[in-house]
Amino acid sequence: MSSDAVNAGSPVKEEEARPSNFIRDIILKDNETGKFGGKVRTRFPPEPNGYLHIGHAKSICLNFGLALEFGGECNLRFDDTNPCKEETEYVESIIEDVRWLGFDWGDRLFYASDYFDQLYEWAVELIRQGNAYVCDLTPEQVREYRGTPTEPGKESPYRNRSIEENLALFERMRAGEFPDGSRTLRSKIDMASPNFNMRDPVMYRILHAAHHRTGGKWNIYPMYDFTHGESDSIEGITHSICTLEFEDHRPLYDWYLDQLGIHHPRQIEFDRLNLTGTVLSKRKLLALVEKGYVAGWDDPRMPTLSGLRRRGYSPEAIRLFCSRIGVSKTNGIVEHSLLEHCLREDLNVRSPRVMAVLDPIRVVIENYPEDLVEQMDAVNNPEDASMGSRSVPFSRVLYIERDDFREDPPKQYYRLAPGREVRLRYAYLITCTGVVKDPTTGEIAEIHCRYDPATRGGNAPDGRKVKSTIHWVSAAHSLDFEARLYDNLFLPDSDREESEDFTACLNPNSLEVRAARIEPSVRGAAPGTRFQFERLGYFCVDKDSAPGKLVFNRTVGLRDTWAKIEKSQKRS
Ligand code: ATP
Ligand code: MG
């Protein structure tokens, strides 16, 4: 992994980090031999049964990225073969998310359901060839007959029906004459095959259900395995890139394409993304939404693209991450901190800095005139001079972080304490003269300080140094806001992937809400606007913001443990 560009302040360049990639090598070879006439056409084929997550982003970046790189095309195709779990809401969210990630499918938006007529014809053709039959076994019996990894399966008693009988029965299945689950159309391959997928897999099932696109037209629906390869073929896909679990399905896809004698894409499998600290199973994500553990698919704690977007992730950061992780032939797990590292790298360059106080305590500058307000000049982004500067109002009463003051400072604590001088960022040096305590609770209510008027801008003319610079806002000028601070959705080291009751692994403290203060320059910032809060992290305006109500999500903190780990690994 290259870390040269890390923290160098240069704009993120995805190409820099592009690792060698075995899929690209295969395509290069195919182009050399002219296998597909030098053409590259890929597709991203989601099933519209949930929102996209960061794992999907890996597949999107791969498929669209390769098409872009080779001057080819990438289709967006909904593999919508299961009417019971699919909804238009999901279709719309997927379209929005792929666009947001920065990819364009031109006019090539397709649906597997557009191919239902063609698939039906091909099923009839396979029956005519003697390669498919209508089976009356129940789903349980089909499972029983399938055998085990060590024992071959048993042939269905309906396997040798005549072609005429099969054609007639399949037609009647389509016409809706039989109840759900009473019959299936199966391919006639090999019940003794060591590959389960080849043991006469089901091609069509009876399902009297309305489909989000074809409505009530069909009473039978093709199985995913009978649909996917043929859909790729119809679209003239050259390289059908999918995750490793489909490796065992490849012989079946090959078999269908060969029996039908139609265009045959090359299927290439790569590793699914797994991330520490979260789950990437649509079933589990749906459960979190449905059971109300999160506030929806776009809850900023969700690993969905809509959640990450709302949290403040940029598409660039996600694309950078996807190029950094690369692809391989073995499944592994990627540290969540790598995702955050890519995020910081991008946000560092693009985010204007502002000052906000998450846990405010009042500071009174005793020798500062009551009615004076000065505008302090503050740099918007030290990484990018073109972002200019802004004015931040300074006055007699300020807020600082409660944690930036200690009445009794421990060793190594250099921030504000009685008698100690510190720098207020972009303003003055101040010295603490004492505290005022709440008479009932004994808690510090107010910190009193004096400022040195000769230190405007933060430097003393006599060259004396202070050990610490802290941020602040003016009490009278700052705005109230709600800060939403997120932690991992799951407890560390929980076996959320394995355990059935994965909700037991949820982190009860994954959301903390604070009443906080921020400098007035952010007034009116639209939802999605990103800032770096000095010393605190990256934040973005949440969609719950409204006139008079400002809500910020903490996107990510400033500390980058990954860089440290990487550095120490390099050294050793
Ligand atoms: P399910 O497991 O519920 O079938 P899925 O995660 O496979 O869902 P799809 O909608 O079928 O979801 O996925 C669309 C595409 O995204 C597929 O090509 C799939 O291989 C890819 N994909 C899904 N999850 C990941 C992941 N974690 N890493 C990489 N690619 C993924
Ligand atoms: Mg799938």
Side-chain angles (χ1 to χ4, degrees):
M1 194 169 306
S2 147
S3 69
D4 302 345
V6 174
N7 295 332
S10 60
V12 164
K13 290 204 193 72
E14 284 154 51
E15 311 76 59
E16 281 176 13
R18 204 175 258 170
S20 85
N21 170 334
F22 73 93
I23 302 181
R24 179 182 299 118
D25 294 343
I26 292 172
I27 296 179
L28 282 169
K29 220 352 116 37
D30 284 346
N31 284 352
E32 243 173 64
T33 62
K35 182 171 163 69
F36 297 107
K39 271 199 349 197
V40 175
R41 183 174 291 163
T42 56
R43 82 288 172 266
F44 173 63
E47 190 186 342
N49 61 353
Y51 280 57
L52 297 181
H53 54 60
I54 182 77
H56 293 111
K58 173 173 177 174
S59 173
I60 295 168
C61 291
L62 191 58
N63 279 293
F64 280 94
L66 287 167
L68 274 172
E69 184 180 345
F70 288 98
E73 291 169 338
C74 181
N75 299 351
L76 176 60
R77 179 177 75 241
F78 289 101
D79 270 340
D80 53 352
T81 53
N82 185 353
C84 306
K85 288 189 173 168
E86 295 162 5
E87 287 173 30
T88 317
E89 177 196 344
Y90 298 139
V91 169
E92 284 163 4
S93 75
I94 290 169
I95 288 176
E96 185 185 354
D97 288 348
V98 180
R99 277 227 175 91
W100 175 76
L101 258 191
F103 297 108
D104 183 12
W105 51 91
D107 56 359
R108 296 175 315 281
L109 172 62
F110 301 118
Y111 295 84
S113 54
D114 292 342
Y115 310 140
F116 281 177
D117 286 306
Q118 175 69 76
L119 289 167
Y120 182 83
E121 275 171 37
W122 278 333
V124 169
E125 192 173 329
L126 288 171
I127 296 175
R128 287 220 170 89
Q129 292 173 352
N131 278 326
Y133 61 97
V134 172
C135 179
D136 300 358
L137 295 178
T138 63
E140 296 73 49
Q141 287 170 320
V142 169
R143 257 194 301 281
E144 251 173 62
Y145 276 63
R146 185 146 293 169
T148 68
T150 50
E151 290 165 59
K154 265 196 311 190
E155 292 192 350
S156 160
Y158 305 97
R159 198 173 198 257
N160 295 311
R161 273 181 163 140
S162 71
I163 290 175
E164 288 66 36
E165 193 185 357
N166 280 320
L167 287 172
L169 281 172
F170 189 48
E171 174 54 39
R172 291 175 63 196
M173 280 168 64
R174 169 188 166 130
E177 288 186 29
F178 308 119
D180 285 1
S182 59
R183 289 193 158 94
T184 53
L185 182 72
R186 297 176 66 180
S187 21
K188 195 192 276 190
I189 310 181
D190 179 6
M191 288 307 291
S193 171
N195 184 343
F196 268 63
N197 296 305
M198 303 299 271
R199 295 186 184 179
D200 290 10
V202 172
M203 294 162 59
Y204 269 89
R205 59 210 194 281
I206 300 173
L207 214 55
H208 296 263
H211 185 277
H212 73 114
R213 288 190 47 95
T214 58
K217 177 174 174 186
W218 294 92
N219 301 301
I220 54 172
Y221 288 94
M223 300 300 288
Y224 180 85
D225 275 351
F226 182 62
T227 311
H228 188 77
E230 286 90 318
S231 301
D232 279 349
S233 178
I234 291 171
E235 293 177 15
I237 300 303
T238 57
H239 299 87
S240 173
I241 300 167
C242 58
T243 37
L244 282 171
E245 70 271 23
F246 289 100
E247 196 161 9
D248 290 345
H249 297 237
R250 174 150 39 96
L252 176 58
Y253 298 169
D254 287 345
W255 188 84
Y256 287 133
L257 298 172
D258 291 343
Q259 301 309 313
L260 294 169
I262 55 179
H263 165 73
H264 201 138
R266 180 200 286 282
Q267 176 170 316
I268 308 168
E269 303 88 9
F270 70 98
D271 60 319
R272 256 183 126 74
L273 173 68
N274 293 299
L275 256 191
T276 58
T278 191
V279 295
L280 292 183
S281 139
K282 279 198 264 189
R283 188 176 59 80
K284 288 180 177 169
L285 295 174
L286 177 65
L288 290 176
V289 173
E290 283 186 333
K291 294 182 184 156
Y293 290 107
V294 293
W297 285 98
D298 71 346
D299 186 297
R301 291 166 292 181
M302 292 280 272
T304 52
L305 294 181
S306 51
L308 295 171
R309 172 166 67 238
R310 186 169 170 192
R311 175 88 170 242
Y313 277 72
S314 60
E316 289 83 356
I318 293 176
R319 296 204 303 263
L320 178 67
F321 170 73
C322 290
S323 91
R324 288 262 166 90
I325 55 178
V327 287
S328 88
K329 271 287 186 190
T330 45
N331 281 320
I333 184 155
V334 173
E335 286 293 329
H336 199 272
S337 54
L338 176 59
L339 177 59
E340 296 191 336
H341 175 75
C342 294
L343 176 64
R344 285 189 194 93
E345 192 174 322
D346 180 55
L347 294 184
N348 178 42
V349 197
R350 69 163 69 236
S351 311
R353 275 55 170 169
V354 293
M355 290 193 286
V357 176
L358 296 182
D359 186 11
I361 183 161
R362 269 165 71 90
V363 172
V364 178
I365 317 276
E366 291 167 332
N367 58 336
Y368 196 86
E370 296 244 7
D371 51 357
L372 184 61
V373 179
E374 288 178 281
Q375 297 296 333
M376 298 301 175
D377 193 43
V379 171
N380 283 335
N381 189 343
E383 304 283 341
D384 182 356
S386 75
M387 288 172 75
S389 64
R390 67 190 186 285
S391 296
V392 185
F394 184 89
S395 65
R396 178 182 158 89
V397 183
L398 310 172
Y399 289 114
I400 65 167
E401 298 289 348
R402 188 171 294 274
D403 188 46
D404 280 339
F405 175 81
R406 295 288 164 84
E407 198 174 9
D408 197 6
K411 258 196 189 145
Q412 310 282 325
Y413 185 93
Y414 299 117
R415 288 167 279 167
L416 198 60
R420 181 165 312 153
E421 187 170 51
V422 300
R423 178 184 296 107
L424 291 178
R425 180 88 159 143
Y426 299 124
Y428 291 104
L429 301 187
I430 58 167
T431 305
C432 176
T433 53
V435 296
V436 175
K437 293 193 176 170
D438 183 310
T440 48
T441 65
E443 255 187 54
I444 298 172
E446 210 168 78
I447 301 165
H448 283 229
C449 296
R450 294 182 66 81
Y451 85 117
D452 178 350
T455 58
R456 184 169 171 159
N459 291 312
D462 62 4
R464 72 180 187 276
K465 298 272 180 268
V466 293
K467 280 204 166 135
S468 163
T469 301
I470 63 176
H471 61 276
W472 52 273
V473 296
S474 162
H477 303 87
S478 57
L479 314 174
D480 270 321
F481 77 102
E482 178 179 317
R484 296 181 182 167
L485 311 179
Y486 304 101
D487 198 350
N488 276 346
L489 195 47
F490 292 91
L491 295 166
D493 305 322
S494 57
D495 66 347
R496 56 192 191 281
E497 290 295 356
E498 276 67 41
S499 74
E500 250 326 289
D501 180 24
F502 72 105
T503 55
C505 308
L506 281 166
N507 174 5
N509 303 313
S510 59
L511 169 63
E512 187 190 344
V513 176
R514 297 256 188 97
R517 309 283 304 186
I518 189 162
E519 63 171 73
S521 69
V522 305
R523 196 192 307 272
T529 311
R530 305 181 183 93
F531 297 95
Q532 186 197 97
F533 290 2
E534 296 225 16
R535 298 176 64 224
L536 298 174
Y538 295 95
F539 286 71
C540 94
V541 181
D542 189 71
K543 68 172 188 186
D544 287 347
S545 284
K549 182 191 179 200
L550 198 50
V551 181
F552 274 95
N553 296 312
R554 180 167 66 195
T555 308
V556 66
L558 288 177
R559 212 158 53 98
D560 191 345
T561 44
W562 179 267
K564 276 188 209 146
I565 294 165
E566 219 178 15
K567 255 187 209 155
S568 70
Q569 277 175 349
K570 257 191 185 166
R571 260 186 247 117
S572 62

